[in-house]
Amino acid sequence: MGVLSEIGRFVCNVFELIAIAIGALIAAAIWAVGQVIDLATDILSWINGNIESLLDDGAKDVNVVRGDALSDFIKQNQATGKYTEISLDQLNAMHNSVINVATDRSGNVVDDQMIRSDKGLSREAKTQFNGQPTLKIKIAA
């Protein structure tokens, strides 16, 4: 039970960190090539393109957060009075996206990037998430 609650707390903390910075992420978003976001083409390309910088900054892994899960999280919290500064346009913008969050050993955010598309994740990328809101990719041993 302790491990599951820690995992749940971690996912919630990642969502909260991203929700705070959502305006900046949307402004700096890159558009995925094509209609859908592909794991190898878009997500891993971002990691590989920034690998030296990420490792220099101490990144150990990248948590990829599904935009639709984050959007749902924010909507639920808006109902309780949290995250009211996020507009409906921003929520809609993140729905068909993923957010890459590189973190160090302590869980501090080293870098982040939102990738947006017209239709969201490809079928293959959805399979990799296995129904979960986040996918962890280890980048350092």
Side-chain angles (χ1 to χ4, degrees):
M1 183 100 157
V3 172
L4 292 178
S5 66
E6 287 299 312
I7 291 171
R9 190 174 63 83
F10 171 76
V11 170
C12 187
N13 288 342
V14 169
F15 279 12
E16 286 183 23
L17 284 171
I18 295 169
I20 291 168
I22 203 68
L25 279 171
I26 290 171
I30 60 173
W31 286 90
V33 177
Q35 295 290 312
V36 294
I37 299 167
D38 184 63
L39 183 69
T41 306
D42 302 312
I43 298 168
L44 296 178
S45 292
W46 178 80
I47 294 170
N48 288 330
N50 295 302
I51 193 71
E52 286 184 34
S53 172
L54 293 172
L55 292 174
D56 287 346
D57 291 339
K60 298 298 177 196
D61 46 53
V62 174
N63 296 286
V64 183
V65 180
R66 286 190 356 240
D68 60 340
L70 180 60
S71 178
D72 292 344
F73 173 81
I74 292 171
K75 286 177 187 175
Q76 289 170 356
N77 281 279
Q78 280 182 328
T80 63
K82 297 179 183 178
Y83 308 118
T84 55
E85 71 279 358
I86 296 173
S87 70
L88 182 59
D89 287 341
Q90 289 174 321
L91 281 173
N92 290 335
M94 82 173 75
H95 194 64
N96 288 333
S97 69
V98 294
I99 299 96
N100 300 325
V101 182
T103 56
D104 64 14
R105 189 177 312 266
S106 301
N108 299 315
V109 175
V110 172
D111 197 0
D112 54 34
Q113 177 65 55
M114 177 186 280
I115 302 174
R116 295 168 54 184
S117 72
D118 290 336
K119 296 182 181 176
L121 292 168
S122 69
R123 183 174 309 164
E124 294 81 15
K126 286 179 185 176
T127 301
Q128 292 297 318
F129 276 87
N130 198 23
Q132 299 301 310
T134 62
L135 173 67
K136 182 179 287 239
I137 301 171
K138 295 236 180 252
I139 61 171

